[in-house]
């Protein structure tokens, strides 16, 4: 069964003055998918997100949410969206509950029971009738999540959601987003510059640089290519002797006291046997997978913000 | 989609759940009895309830105008300063409708305060000075009843207030800075009469179309226009004000609808 994408960007372009901030960005996010938006500061992540939620206009192209154009049918499109753009700013002079009530009133589908349900979901029931000015940053984040999911949106947009969260909070948010995607089929669009975070959270990431998408790749469900050579490190007691034994087996070298060479899967087993047969003790074999961070830096280089 | 009244409820919640709104109302309710009692104690001659009411109303209108300008300025600019505009505008409502709910709530605030001012000044002065009947003390030779004079005064002043507040609302929506909007609107309120005096001696026809000349509509109660050198009718003044009213709102709505939210 092929599903219609929840959000579809088509050649989205934003020109401010003479500068092209966003240049022909296109992508789709499917129901139940956590889609990451990755890029260095100033690459246009926030601008793209602001265009998706209608806070900024498009110079060219179109954005459709659940089949409705953000440009032409804004209320019909945005009703499917829950969002936190940058920090969740709340009315500090109102209580947490009054803040939620404020946004609930603007959406006809939200009942009083649903507000209560969401308060319990984010674990704010003890403090919900306190003024927001007395909340910690973590509690404001929770309130932000509550207002974003109250109307069961099809698309949840989070801009730098882990800013200001402690490690436990980040983990909780990550688990919650994954659950939301899996159980309710919500499409989640997250932006971040924290690569390791994105690696744990997302199914797919788009890498944005200078307003252009330079790559979109899957993170989960990636099939291991058995034939591909990978960098393998052998931790052995006599690296030099080992290197001599493996002479002729490609480009082996010693890095940080570890025998390092490029070899495929079957090669690893063969090498290990030869080392053991030669009387060398092998303490460990490690396949060096490239982290998203390595790949990201490889792609974006260390260029300065232009 | 949804119920527009909910937007009004939201804006009212943001106005009345703040302590300062109740401090403002405190001024309106407590100032008239304070003035009346002081006058009763220290004044030699007898004062009439109508004269005292109008004197206090004059002060209260300045106060209510300032208070409403503060509310009008903050209702839009505040959302930008607080950053809440980002959460407010991503709801299934058009920007125009959201701005309309803010504008109407601001006018409702002004109306509430003006009605409070009318009731308080009327009752306090009847209690303190006694009711001097429905004579024509206020209008003198023109001979309209005191009730009619008082009601017309409130109506005309309220029209001027709406214009100044609409100006403040426009500034708030255009500059996203409540300080600037409040400052400009209040200088508008006070400089207005000075500018009007200066311009009234100019013997040119365009003077009739200057906004400031028409903010003092109460002179029509006495049957004279606000510009001595250029006789105008009430209808003409209202038409000029309506022109500015439309212009200010046109700017507010255009700017608010088109603006990219980068706050």
């Amino acid at each position: 069964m092929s599903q219609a994408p929840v959000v579809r960007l088509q050649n989205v372009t934003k020109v401010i003055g003479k500068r092209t901030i966003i240049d022909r960005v296109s992508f789709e996010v499917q129901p139940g998918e956590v889609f990451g938006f990755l890029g260095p500061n100033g690459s246009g992540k926030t601008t793209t997100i602001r265009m998706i939620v209608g806070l900024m206009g498009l110079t060219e192209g179109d954005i459709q949410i659940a089949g409705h154009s953000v440009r032409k049918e804004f209320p019909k499109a945005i009703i499917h969206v829950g969002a936190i753009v940058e920090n969740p700013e709340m009315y500090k002079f109102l209580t947490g509950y009054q803040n939620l009530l404020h946004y609930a009133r603007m959406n006809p589908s939200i009942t009083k029971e649903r507000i209560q349900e969401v308060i319990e979901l984010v674990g704010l029931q003890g403090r919900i009738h306190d003024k927001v000015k007395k909340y910690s940053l973590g509690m404001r984040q929770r309130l932000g999540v509550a207002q974003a999911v109250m109307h069961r949106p099809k698309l949840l947009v989070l801009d730098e959601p882990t800013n200001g969260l402690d490690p436990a909070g980040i983990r909780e948010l990550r688990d919650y987003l994954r659950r939301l995607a899996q159980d309710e089929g919500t499409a989640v669009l997250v932006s971040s510059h924290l690569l390791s975070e994105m690696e744990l959270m997302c199914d797919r990431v788009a890498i944005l640089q200078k307003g252009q998408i330079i790559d979109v790749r899957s993170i989960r469900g990636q099939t291991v290519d058995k034939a591909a050579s990978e960098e393998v490190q052998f931790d052995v007691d006599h690296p030099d002797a080992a290197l001599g034994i493996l002479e002729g087996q490609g480009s082996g070298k010693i890095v940080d006291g570890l025998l390092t060479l490029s070899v495929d899967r079957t090669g690893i087993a063969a090498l290990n046997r030869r080392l053991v047969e030669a009387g060398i003790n092998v303490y460990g074999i490690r396949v060096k997978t490239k982290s998203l961070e390595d790949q990201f830096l490889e792609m974006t280089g260390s260029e300065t913000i232009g | 989609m949804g119920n527009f009244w909910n937007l009004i409820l939201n804006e009212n919640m943001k106005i009345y759940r703040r302590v300062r709104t109740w401090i403002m109302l405190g001024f309106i309710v407590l100032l008239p009895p304070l003035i009346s009692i002081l006058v009763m104690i220290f004044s030699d001659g007898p004062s009439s309830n109508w004269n005292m009411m109008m004197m206090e109303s004059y002060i209260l209108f300045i106060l209510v105008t300032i208070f409403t300008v503060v509310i009008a300025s903050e209702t839009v600019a505040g959302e930008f300063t607080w950053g809440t505009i980002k959460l407010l505008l991503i709801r299934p409502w058009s920007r125009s409708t959201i701005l309309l709910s803010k504008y109407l709530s601001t006018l409702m605030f002004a109306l509430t305060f003006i009605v409070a001012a009318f009731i308080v000044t009327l009752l306090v002065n009847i209690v303190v000075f006694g009711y001097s009947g429905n004579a024509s003390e206020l209008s003198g030779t023109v001979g309209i009843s005191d009730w009619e004079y008082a009601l017309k005064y409130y109506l005309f002043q309220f029209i001027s207030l709406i214009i100044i507040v609409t100006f403040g609302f426009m500034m708030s929506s255009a500059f996203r800075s409540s300080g600037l909007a409040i400052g400009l609107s209040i200088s508008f309120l006070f400089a207005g009469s000075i500018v009007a005096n200066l311009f009234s001696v100019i013997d040119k026809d365009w003077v009739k179309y200057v906004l400031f000349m028409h903010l003092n509509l109460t002179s029509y109660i006495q049957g004279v226009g606000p510009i001595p050198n250029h006789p105008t009718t009430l209808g003409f003044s209202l038409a000029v004000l309506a022109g500015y009213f439309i212009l200010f709102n046109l700017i507010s709505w255009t700017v608010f609808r088109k603006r990219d939210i980068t706050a």
Side-chain angles (χ1 to χ4, degrees):
Chain A
M1 191 181 82
S2 75
Q3 287 170 300
V6 176
V7 60
R8 169 187 281 156
L9 278 78
Q10 289 167 309
N11 287 320
V12 171
T13 301
K14 178 75 181 174
V15 179
I16 298 177
K18 279 181 186 161
R19 286 192 54 200
T20 304
I21 309 288
I22 301 293
D23 191 6
R24 285 163 292 156
V25 163
S26 301
F27 64 87
E28 292 177 356
V29 185
Q30 305 297 330
E33 184 181 34
V34 182
F35 188 86
F37 218 40
L38 202 54
N41 290 333
S43 58
K45 297 187 300 277
T46 299
T47 305
T48 310
I49 282 180
R50 281 170 194 262
M51 289 196 288
I52 294 172
V53 298
L55 292 175
M56 291 177 97
L58 282 69
T59 311
E60 261 173 68
D62 197 15
I63 297 172
Q64 290 183 337
I65 299 166
H68 297 285
S69 161
V70 167
R71 292 183 108 164
K72 291 171 201 134
E73 309 170 280
F74 178 70
K76 277 187 181 170
I78 203 74
I79 199 163
H80 301 292
V81 181
I84 306 177
V85 182
E86 286 172 328
N87 301 317
E89 320 275 6
M90 296 288 165
Y91 301 103
K92 293 199 175 75
F93 52 88
L94 298 178
T95 66
Y97 186 81
Q98 286 162 350
N99 268 286
L100 291 183
L101 181 66
H102 176 268
Y103 298 117
R105 277 180 183 149
M106 299 182 82
N107 194 311
S109 70
I110 303 170
T111 60
K112 287 256 155 68
E113 292 75 44
R114 176 62 184 163
I115 300 179
Q116 214 53 51
E117 199 180 307
V118 168
I119 292 168
E120 279 160 33
L121 181 79
V122 298
L124 273 178
Q125 51 271 51
R127 300 285 305 276
I128 198 67
H129 293 294
D130 287 1
K131 291 234 161 79
V132 170
K133 68 176 115 183
K134 291 183 187 155
Y135 280 18
S136 67
L137 191 55
M139 290 166 72
R140 282 179 207 178
Q141 283 280 12
R142 283 158 188 265
L143 195 60
V145 171
Q147 65 77 30
V149 301
M150 231 175 357
H151 52 294
R152 300 181 201 277
K154 287 185 180 162
L155 173 68
L156 185 61
V157 181
L158 303 169
D159 191 9
E160 305 279 358
T162 54
N163 270 2
L165 284 186
D166 55 20
I170 294 177
R171 198 200 165 98
E172 204 176 308
L173 179 74
R174 187 204 308 148
D175 292 345
Y176 177 63
L177 292 183
R178 294 236 52 102
R179 232 180 20 245
L180 204 60
Q182 269 159 27
D183 302 348
E184 305 209 17
T186 310
V188 183
L189 178 64
V190 204
S191 89
S192 181
H193 59 270
L194 293 172
L195 301 131
S196 48
E197 243 343 288
M198 297 293 264
E199 215 167 359
L200 290 168
M201 221 184 267
C202 303
D203 298 310
R204 270 197 309 155
V205 288
I207 297 173
L208 197 68
Q209 192 185 26
K210 292 181 180 168
Q212 284 180 311
I213 288 191
I214 55 175
D215 193 33
V216 179
R217 61 177 58 202
S218 294
I219 291 186
R220 261 158 225 275
Q222 225 172 356
T223 48
V224 182
D225 189 351
K226 290 190 176 160
S229 286
E230 284 172 296
E231 274 228 308
V232 183
Q233 293 175 321
F234 285 83
D235 188 2
V236 293
D237 56 356
H238 300 295
D240 295 312
L243 194 61
I245 292 161
L246 301 178
E247 210 65 69
Q249 285 282 339
S251 53
K253 55 182 185 289
I254 296 166
V255 180
D256 298 333
L258 298 170
L259 176 64
T260 307
L261 70 170
S262 190
V263 69
D264 64 14
R265 243 171 106 80
T266 47
I268 297 173
L271 277 174
N272 185 39
R273 192 175 315 117
R274 282 179 60 190
L275 288 170
V276 175
E277 280 166 359
I280 289 171
N281 291 327
V282 178
Y283 302 119
I285 305 171
R286 200 164 41 237
V287 178
K288 256 185 89 180
T289 44
K290 269 188 198 168
S291 70
L292 186 58
E293 183 162 351
D294 297 328
Q295 298 173 23
F296 173 75
L297 290 176
E298 216 167 77
M299 262 183 287
T300 58
S302 52
E303 287 175 76
T304 49
I305 298 161
Chain B
M1 270 191 217
N3 188 343
F4 180 69
W5 180 245
N6 280 340
L7 298 192
I8 300 276
L9 283 181
N10 274 346
E11 294 310 319
N12 280 336
M13 178 166 77
K14 287 182 262 182
I15 294 173
Y16 296 103
R17 291 281 181 188
R18 300 190 72 178
V19 178
R20 68 162 194 209
T21 305
W22 297 96
I23 296 173
M24 289 174 183
L25 192 63
F27 270 102
I28 303 302
V29 174
L30 297 178
L31 209 57
L34 190 71
I35 295 174
S36 294
I37 288 167
L38 285 178
V39 167
M40 188 188 70
I41 294 170
F42 295 110
S43 161
D44 299 331
S47 302
S48 102
N49 67 307
W50 291 111
N51 278 321
M52 279 308 295
M53 180 185 173
M54 284 302 111
M55 195 267 274
E56 286 162 6
S57 298
Y58 175 78
I59 298 166
L60 290 192
F61 258 103
I62 293 175
L63 278 181
V64 175
T65 308
I66 292 170
F67 292 163
T68 316
V69 160
V70 170
I71 298 288
S73 306
E74 196 126 279
T75 187
V76 181
E79 302 269 4
F80 281 92
T81 321
W82 302 325
T84 45
I85 191 81
K86 294 179 298 192
L87 289 181
L88 182 69
L89 294 185
I90 56 167
R91 311 288 149 182
W93 292 93
S94 70
R95 288 193 186 183
S96 302
T97 318
I98 288 175
L99 194 63
L100 182 68
S101 73
K102 287 186 168 297
Y103 185 67
L104 291 182
S105 301
T106 305
L107 293 189
M108 281 163 62
F109 170 91
L111 188 64
T112 310
F113 271 51
I114 287 305
V115 169
F118 185 87
I119 294 172
V120 169
T121 52
L122 181 72
L123 293 184
V124 160
N125 289 304
I126 288 176
V127 169
V128 175
F129 300 105
Y131 184 58
S132 69
N134 190 8
S136 309
E137 284 173 34
L138 296 174
S139 59
T141 52
V142 180
I144 61 173
S145 78
D146 291 330
W147 272 100
E148 191 183 340
Y149 187 97
L151 286 170
K152 273 191 172 164
Y153 181 87
Y154 267 75
L155 177 68
F156 289 165
Q157 288 284 62
F158 190 63
I159 292 171
S160 308
L161 180 149
I162 288 177
I163 300 295
I164 294 168
V165 167
T166 306
F167 176 80
F169 195 75
M170 174 187 76
M171 288 290 140
S172 169
S173 148
F175 295 122
R176 289 167 298 166
S177 149
S178 53
L180 193 61
I182 293 169
L184 281 174
S185 312
I186 289 175
S187 48
F188 190 117
L189 173 68
F190 289 111
S193 58
I194 300 167
V195 174
N197 281 331
L198 281 174
F199 277 26
S200 63
V201 296
I202 298 173
D203 202 20
K204 289 278 192 292
D205 217 33
W206 53 259
V207 167
K208 284 200 292 186
Y209 300 97
V210 174
L211 171 64
F212 297 116
M213 314 309 287
H214 301 281
L215 287 178
N216 185 20
L217 292 174
T218 52
S219 63
Y220 283 114
I221 305 176
Q222 304 281 3
V224 228
I227 328 169
N229 289 349
H230 300 276
T232 49
T233 62
L234 178 60
F236 178 82
S237 283
L238 290 178
V240 171
L241 291 181
Y244 282 100
F245 175 83
I246 291 166
L247 175 73
F248 291 162
N249 279 328
L250 217 57
I251 294 173
S252 302
W253 259 263
T254 312
V255 172
F256 192 74
R257 282 182 54 217
K258 299 277 181 234
R259 152 157 290 137
D260 278 345
I261 311 295
T262 51

